Short mmCIF file of all heavy atoms in Angstrom, two decimals:
data_model
loop_
_atom_site.label_atom_id
_atom_site.label_comp_id
_atom_site.label_asym_id
_atom_site.label_seq_id
_atom_site.Cartn_x
_atom_site.Cartn_y
_atom_site.Cartn_z
N ARG D 371 156.54 18.54 -53.15
CA ARG D 371 156.29 19.93 -52.79
C ARG D 371 154.82 20.31 -52.99
O ARG D 371 154.12 19.72 -53.82
CB ARG D 371 157.17 20.84 -53.64
CG ARG D 371 158.64 20.74 -53.28
CD ARG D 371 158.89 21.24 -51.89
NE ARG D 371 160.30 21.31 -51.57
CZ ARG D 371 160.77 21.79 -50.45
NH1 ARG D 371 159.97 22.24 -49.53
NH2 ARG D 371 162.08 21.82 -50.23
N GLY D 372 154.38 21.28 -52.21
CA GLY D 372 153.00 21.72 -52.23
C GLY D 372 152.28 21.33 -50.96
O GLY D 372 151.50 22.11 -50.41
N HIS D 373 152.57 20.11 -50.47
CA HIS D 373 151.95 19.67 -49.22
C HIS D 373 152.52 20.42 -48.02
O HIS D 373 151.92 20.40 -46.94
CB HIS D 373 152.17 18.16 -49.03
CG HIS D 373 151.56 17.33 -50.11
ND1 HIS D 373 150.22 16.99 -50.13
CD2 HIS D 373 152.11 16.78 -51.23
CE1 HIS D 373 149.96 16.26 -51.20
NE2 HIS D 373 151.09 16.12 -51.90
N ASP D 374 153.67 21.05 -48.21
CA ASP D 374 154.33 21.75 -47.12
C ASP D 374 153.99 23.24 -47.10
O ASP D 374 154.71 24.04 -46.50
CB ASP D 374 155.85 21.57 -47.25
CG ASP D 374 156.38 22.04 -48.61
OD1 ASP D 374 155.55 22.24 -49.52
OD2 ASP D 374 157.60 22.18 -48.76
N ARG D 375 152.89 23.62 -47.74
CA ARG D 375 152.58 25.04 -47.92
C ARG D 375 152.44 25.77 -46.59
O ARG D 375 152.86 26.93 -46.46
CB ARG D 375 151.29 25.18 -48.74
CG ARG D 375 150.97 26.61 -49.14
CD ARG D 375 149.74 26.67 -50.03
NE ARG D 375 149.99 25.98 -51.29
CZ ARG D 375 149.39 24.86 -51.66
NH1 ARG D 375 148.52 24.29 -50.86
NH2 ARG D 375 149.67 24.29 -52.82
N ALA D 376 151.84 25.13 -45.59
CA ALA D 376 151.62 25.81 -44.30
C ALA D 376 152.94 26.16 -43.63
O ALA D 376 153.09 27.26 -43.08
CB ALA D 376 150.76 24.94 -43.39
N LEU D 377 153.89 25.26 -43.67
CA LEU D 377 155.19 25.55 -43.06
C LEU D 377 155.93 26.62 -43.84
O LEU D 377 156.57 27.51 -43.25
CB LEU D 377 156.04 24.27 -42.99
CG LEU D 377 155.72 23.30 -41.86
CD1 LEU D 377 156.53 22.02 -42.02
CD2 LEU D 377 156.00 23.93 -40.50
N ARG D 378 155.88 26.56 -45.17
CA ARG D 378 156.56 27.58 -45.96
C ARG D 378 155.91 28.94 -45.73
O ARG D 378 156.59 29.96 -45.71
CB ARG D 378 156.53 27.23 -47.44
CG ARG D 378 157.32 25.97 -47.79
CD ARG D 378 157.79 25.96 -49.22
NE ARG D 378 158.83 26.95 -49.43
CZ ARG D 378 158.70 28.05 -50.15
NH1 ARG D 378 157.55 28.32 -50.74
NH2 ARG D 378 159.70 28.89 -50.30
N GLN D 379 154.59 28.95 -45.57
CA GLN D 379 153.92 30.21 -45.27
C GLN D 379 154.34 30.73 -43.90
O GLN D 379 154.52 31.94 -43.70
CB GLN D 379 152.40 30.02 -45.29
CG GLN D 379 151.63 31.32 -45.14
CD GLN D 379 151.89 32.27 -46.30
OE1 GLN D 379 151.66 31.92 -47.46
NE2 GLN D 379 152.39 33.45 -45.99
N ALA D 380 154.52 29.81 -42.95
CA ALA D 380 154.98 30.22 -41.62
C ALA D 380 156.36 30.86 -41.71
O ALA D 380 156.64 31.87 -41.05
CB ALA D 380 155.01 29.02 -40.68
N ALA D 381 157.24 30.27 -42.52
CA ALA D 381 158.58 30.85 -42.70
C ALA D 381 158.47 32.23 -43.33
O ALA D 381 159.17 33.18 -42.94
CB ALA D 381 159.44 29.93 -43.56
N ARG D 382 157.59 32.36 -44.31
CA ARG D 382 157.39 33.64 -44.99
C ARG D 382 156.88 34.70 -44.01
O ARG D 382 157.34 35.85 -44.00
CB ARG D 382 156.42 33.44 -46.14
CG ARG D 382 156.21 34.65 -47.03
CD ARG D 382 155.34 34.25 -48.22
NE ARG D 382 155.03 35.39 -49.06
CZ ARG D 382 155.86 35.87 -49.99
NH1 ARG D 382 157.04 35.31 -50.16
NH2 ARG D 382 155.52 36.91 -50.73
N ASP D 383 155.94 34.31 -43.17
CA ASP D 383 155.39 35.24 -42.19
C ASP D 383 156.46 35.67 -41.19
O ASP D 383 156.49 36.84 -40.77
CB ASP D 383 154.23 34.60 -41.45
CG ASP D 383 153.00 34.41 -42.34
OD1 ASP D 383 152.98 35.01 -43.44
OD2 ASP D 383 152.09 33.66 -41.95
N LEU D 384 157.31 34.74 -40.79
CA LEU D 384 158.38 35.09 -39.85
C LEU D 384 159.31 36.14 -40.46
O LEU D 384 159.72 37.09 -39.80
CB LEU D 384 159.17 33.84 -39.46
CG LEU D 384 158.49 32.87 -38.50
CD1 LEU D 384 159.24 31.56 -38.45
CD2 LEU D 384 158.40 33.48 -37.10
N VAL D 385 159.66 35.92 -41.72
CA VAL D 385 160.57 36.86 -42.39
C VAL D 385 159.93 38.24 -42.49
O VAL D 385 160.53 39.26 -42.14
CB VAL D 385 160.96 36.34 -43.78
CG1 VAL D 385 161.72 37.41 -44.56
CG2 VAL D 385 161.82 35.08 -43.66
N HIS D 386 158.67 38.30 -42.96
CA HIS D 386 158.02 39.58 -43.16
C HIS D 386 157.50 40.18 -41.86
O HIS D 386 157.21 41.38 -41.80
CB HIS D 386 156.87 39.43 -44.16
CG HIS D 386 157.34 39.15 -45.56
ND1 HIS D 386 158.11 40.04 -46.27
CD2 HIS D 386 157.18 38.06 -46.37
CE1 HIS D 386 158.39 39.53 -47.46
NE2 HIS D 386 157.84 38.33 -47.54
N GLY D 387 157.40 39.35 -40.81
CA GLY D 387 156.99 39.88 -39.51
C GLY D 387 158.07 40.72 -38.87
O GLY D 387 157.80 41.50 -37.95
N GLY D 388 159.31 40.53 -39.33
CA GLY D 388 160.40 41.36 -38.85
C GLY D 388 161.01 40.86 -37.56
O GLY D 388 160.58 39.85 -36.98
N PRO D 389 162.04 41.55 -37.08
CA PRO D 389 162.75 41.12 -35.87
C PRO D 389 161.84 41.15 -34.64
O PRO D 389 161.00 42.04 -34.49
CB PRO D 389 163.88 42.16 -35.73
CG PRO D 389 164.01 42.76 -37.09
CD PRO D 389 162.65 42.75 -37.69
N ALA D 390 162.04 40.16 -33.79
CA ALA D 390 161.26 40.09 -32.56
C ALA D 390 162.10 40.59 -31.39
O ALA D 390 163.32 40.46 -31.37
CB ALA D 390 160.84 38.64 -32.29
N LEU D 391 161.41 41.17 -30.42
CA LEU D 391 162.08 41.57 -29.19
C LEU D 391 162.31 40.33 -28.32
O LEU D 391 161.68 39.29 -28.51
CB LEU D 391 161.22 42.58 -28.43
CG LEU D 391 160.90 43.89 -29.17
CD1 LEU D 391 159.94 44.74 -28.34
CD2 LEU D 391 162.18 44.65 -29.47
N GLY D 392 163.18 40.46 -27.37
CA GLY D 392 163.46 39.32 -26.49
C GLY D 392 162.58 39.28 -25.27
O GLY D 392 162.79 38.48 -24.37
N ARG D 393 161.56 40.14 -25.21
CA ARG D 393 160.69 40.21 -24.03
C ARG D 393 159.24 40.34 -24.49
O ARG D 393 158.95 40.44 -25.67
CB ARG D 393 161.08 41.41 -23.17
CG ARG D 393 160.95 42.74 -23.89
CD ARG D 393 161.47 43.90 -23.05
NE ARG D 393 161.27 45.19 -23.71
CZ ARG D 393 162.08 45.69 -24.63
NH1 ARG D 393 163.16 45.01 -25.00
NH2 ARG D 393 161.82 46.86 -25.17
N GLY D 394 158.36 40.33 -23.51
CA GLY D 394 156.94 40.50 -23.81
C GLY D 394 156.39 39.37 -24.67
O GLY D 394 156.88 38.24 -24.63
N GLU D 395 155.38 39.71 -25.46
CA GLU D 395 154.73 38.68 -26.28
C GLU D 395 155.67 38.13 -27.34
O GLU D 395 155.61 36.95 -27.68
CB GLU D 395 153.48 39.26 -26.93
CG GLU D 395 152.54 38.23 -27.51
CD GLU D 395 151.84 37.36 -26.48
OE1 GLU D 395 151.87 37.72 -25.28
OE2 GLU D 395 151.27 36.33 -26.86
N ASP D 396 156.58 38.97 -27.86
CA ASP D 396 157.56 38.47 -28.84
C ASP D 396 158.40 37.36 -28.25
O ASP D 396 158.60 36.30 -28.85
CB ASP D 396 158.48 39.61 -29.29
CG ASP D 396 157.82 40.54 -30.30
OD1 ASP D 396 156.62 40.37 -30.55
OD2 ASP D 396 158.51 41.44 -30.80
N GLY D 397 158.94 37.60 -27.05
CA GLY D 397 159.80 36.60 -26.42
C GLY D 397 159.05 35.35 -26.03
O GLY D 397 159.54 34.23 -26.19
N ALA D 398 157.82 35.52 -25.49
CA ALA D 398 157.05 34.36 -25.05
C ALA D 398 156.57 33.52 -26.23
O ALA D 398 156.56 32.28 -26.16
CB ALA D 398 155.86 34.83 -24.21
N THR D 399 156.14 34.16 -27.32
CA THR D 399 155.73 33.38 -28.48
C THR D 399 156.93 32.70 -29.14
O THR D 399 156.77 31.66 -29.79
CB THR D 399 155.00 34.26 -29.52
OG1 THR D 399 155.80 35.41 -29.81
CG2 THR D 399 153.64 34.68 -29.01
N THR D 400 158.13 33.27 -28.98
CA THR D 400 159.33 32.57 -29.44
C THR D 400 159.50 31.27 -28.69
O THR D 400 159.79 30.22 -29.28
CB THR D 400 160.58 33.46 -29.26
OG1 THR D 400 160.44 34.63 -30.06
CG2 THR D 400 161.83 32.72 -29.68
N ALA D 401 159.31 31.30 -27.36
CA ALA D 401 159.40 30.07 -26.56
C ALA D 401 158.34 29.07 -27.00
O ALA D 401 158.60 27.86 -27.10
CB ALA D 401 159.24 30.40 -25.08
N MET D 402 157.13 29.57 -27.28
CA MET D 402 156.05 28.69 -27.73
C MET D 402 156.41 28.01 -29.05
O MET D 402 156.23 26.79 -29.21
CB MET D 402 154.76 29.50 -27.90
CG MET D 402 153.58 28.71 -28.41
SD MET D 402 152.13 29.78 -28.74
CE MET D 402 151.67 30.21 -27.06
N ALA D 403 156.95 28.79 -29.99
CA ALA D 403 157.32 28.23 -31.30
C ALA D 403 158.45 27.21 -31.16
O ALA D 403 158.43 26.15 -31.79
CB ALA D 403 157.73 29.35 -32.25
N ILE D 404 159.44 27.54 -30.34
CA ILE D 404 160.57 26.61 -30.15
C ILE D 404 160.08 25.30 -29.55
O ILE D 404 160.51 24.21 -29.94
CB ILE D 404 161.65 27.24 -29.27
CG1 ILE D 404 162.29 28.44 -29.98
CG2 ILE D 404 162.73 26.22 -28.93
CD1 ILE D 404 163.25 29.23 -29.11
N ASP D 405 159.15 25.40 -28.57
CA ASP D 405 158.63 24.19 -27.94
C ASP D 405 157.96 23.28 -28.96
O ASP D 405 158.19 22.07 -28.98
CB ASP D 405 157.64 24.60 -26.85
CG ASP D 405 157.06 23.40 -26.12
OD1 ASP D 405 157.79 22.80 -25.31
OD2 ASP D 405 155.88 23.05 -26.37
N MET D 406 157.14 23.86 -29.83
CA MET D 406 156.46 23.06 -30.86
C MET D 406 157.47 22.51 -31.86
O MET D 406 157.38 21.35 -32.29
CB MET D 406 155.42 23.91 -31.58
CG MET D 406 154.33 24.48 -30.69
SD MET D 406 153.30 23.23 -29.90
CE MET D 406 152.22 24.28 -28.91
N LEU D 407 158.43 23.33 -32.26
CA LEU D 407 159.44 22.88 -33.22
C LEU D 407 160.29 21.77 -32.65
O LEU D 407 160.73 20.87 -33.38
CB LEU D 407 160.32 24.05 -33.64
CG LEU D 407 159.69 25.03 -34.64
CD1 LEU D 407 160.51 26.30 -34.74
CD2 LEU D 407 159.59 24.37 -36.02
N PHE D 408 160.54 21.79 -31.35
CA PHE D 408 161.33 20.73 -30.73
C PHE D 408 160.69 19.37 -30.97
O PHE D 408 161.36 18.39 -31.33
CB PHE D 408 161.49 21.01 -29.24
CG PHE D 408 162.35 20.00 -28.52
CD1 PHE D 408 163.71 20.20 -28.40
CD2 PHE D 408 161.80 18.85 -27.97
CE1 PHE D 408 164.51 19.27 -27.76
CE2 PHE D 408 162.58 17.92 -27.33
CZ PHE D 408 163.95 18.13 -27.21
N PHE D 409 159.38 19.28 -30.76
CA PHE D 409 158.69 18.01 -30.98
C PHE D 409 158.69 17.63 -32.46
O PHE D 409 158.81 16.46 -32.81
CB PHE D 409 157.26 18.09 -30.44
CG PHE D 409 157.16 17.85 -28.97
CD1 PHE D 409 157.22 18.90 -28.09
CD2 PHE D 409 157.04 16.57 -28.48
CE1 PHE D 409 157.14 18.69 -26.72
CE2 PHE D 409 156.96 16.34 -27.12
CZ PHE D 409 157.01 17.40 -26.23
#
Side-chain angles (χ1 to χ4, degrees):
R371 291 294 187 176
H373 298 279
D374 56 346
R375 187 176 296 113
L377 281 173
R378 295 205 70 249
Q379 186 63 58
R382 185 174 177 81
D383 290 347
L384 286 167
V385 171
H386 291 297
L391 300 175
R393 61 185 184 278
E395 194 69 14
D396 283 6
T399 51
T400 297
M402 178 186 290
I404 294 173
D405 181 74
M406 301 296 178
L407 283 167
F408 183 90
F409 278 92

